[in-house]
Amino acid sequence: MKARKDLVKKAYEFAKLAHEGDKRESGEPYFIHPMAVAKILKEWRLDEKTIVAGLLHDVVEHGAATNKDLVKEFGQEIAFLVEGVTNVAAVKLRSSQKKVFVENLRKMFVAMAADLRVVLLRLADRLHNARTLEYLPKPRGKRFARELLEIYAPLAGRLGMGEVKGEMEDLAFPFVYPKEYEWIKEYSKPYYKQADEHIKAAIKTINGELEKEGLDDFQVHGRAKHWYSLWKKLLRPEIGKEISKIYDLVALRIIVNSVEDCYLALGAVHKLWRPAARLGVSDFIAQPKPNGYQSIHTRVFGVGERMMEVQIRTLKMHEEAEFGLAAHWYYGSLKFQGARDEKLEKGVMIPEKLKWVRQLAEWQKTIKDSQELEKALKIDVLKKRIFVFTPKGDVFDLPEGATPVDFAFAVHTDLGKHIQGAKINGKMASLNSGLRSGDVCEIIKRKKAVKPSRDWLGFVKTTTARRQIQKAYL
Ligand code: MN
């Protein structure tokens, strides 16, 4: 224990010395940045080595030490993490040349596939820089903010770090879309205020009801929707910038100790407030989302008959929803397995759950065409995901706009070769129909396997499906 504490202390002294005299854009000493990054990593409850790497993450880039020095002073593993994050930082994602952009994005994912902690380090680094974005000169600030919106926030989302994604988006929003940001702040002000008052009243009521149910250890609070996600939602055609159609502007969140208490709390909520018939209850505890998200969501007619969303979860589920991958680390619920790829560095760690990262490592080896690779990265990794169910209730996540053919290949390659037709929510549908979150998709199978149709290449969205179809014609 003592030795580990000493390592943090040693890294602290090392970094302090390495950055002596350096200043940030804000005029503050540079050292506050690696300190802040280490603090964020500690909040995410990452392991000691990652926190140490956080303290040291800029020393090589700033030329104050070499990789060799770090190996000697801190050991192979920490030096590897620092090297990884230095390489990722050297990658300039926004580039005028598309080809360079794709190549750089590829490099980032290679580093990430080698050890996911490198990405967490990078995300912590970007997050702290985002929090101090106002000090950057304007054009650079805007570029940085764009990168946050296009790469890092979606990446955080894919790693299940919902809170990090929301914060990054909100920090970038005023720099990328200043007019829209001003508009939404003004426009939503009275609605937020009203929603806030309703939630406050609801919290009082529900507190009493939960106690009556015999719950003694719980937290209830309101959660205001992030600005950027509100703006995105307002732009949806079915909302049409009508803020009164958004019922989760401020949601009520109940955090309890056990799964049993979640259902007790749900009962208490429904005793007080009638659930909305059509929107109803989503039980992501019984049926977690593919990224592991668990919670019960219910939409009820709350105080003053106003529609309100209530989210119920355990503390562990809550932390996993906020910190995603990092929380899984802490709870040890992920088994880290080395990818079977000798080309990647030693110390490879990829959780079984994040299959797509491993797939990515494979694609970047096999896909030579840079346009195809760009598609794979941008659509399969960074695009918004939808959740589609098999008739038996298994759930698969796919990029937005995916079709029954994509679904079939995601379930099993073999199923893709037996496609006769498809049903969506029990109704016959054409194979190029766009699936939506929550759809149940049934593939009607042929008796014998056949070559997938070449025409499908015209509409499939996932790289898995595209590659399987192409393979049949090689
Ligand atoms: Mn940095």
Side-chain angles (χ1 to χ4, degrees), residues 24 30 33-34 37 54 57-58 61-62 89 122 125-126 128-129:
R24 302 204 85 214
Y30 192 86
H33 169 63
V37 169
H57 82 273
D58 275 333
E61 206 194 333
H62 284 214
R122 182 60 170 164
D125 172 56
R126 293 292 87 175
H128 179 245
N129 284 334

Side-chain angles (χ1 to χ4, degrees), residues 191-211:
Y191 295 91
Y192 264 117
K193 207 174 152 242
Q194 205 185 36
D196 208 44
E197 278 162 16
H198 280 105
I199 289 291
K200 274 189 189 133
I203 289 176
K204 266 196 191 145
T205 317
I206 192 69
N207 266 324
E209 192 66 27
L210 290 175
E211 271 165 27

Side-chain angles (χ1 to χ4, degrees), residues 202-203 205-213 215 218-220 252-256 261-276 280-281 296-303 306 308-313:
I203 289 176
T205 317
I206 192 69
N207 266 324
E209 192 66 27
L210 290 175
E211 271 165 27
K212 252 197 259 164
E213 288 291 326
L215 286 169
F218 58 84
Q219 302 168 40
V220 183
L252 190 74
R253 197 171 270 166
I254 302 174
I255 298 171
V256 297
D261 287 356
C262 287
Y263 291 104
L264 267 179
L266 180 69
V269 169
H270 285 175
K271 253 187 231 168
L272 280 173
W273 303 300
R274 169 168 61 87
V281 186
I296 300 170
H297 292 190
T298 178
R299 285 105 195 192
V300 297
F301 292 102
V303 179
R306 279 181 48 106
M308 169 176 81
E309 180 166 307
V310 183
Q311 304 172 351
I312 305 165
R313 46 174 79 157

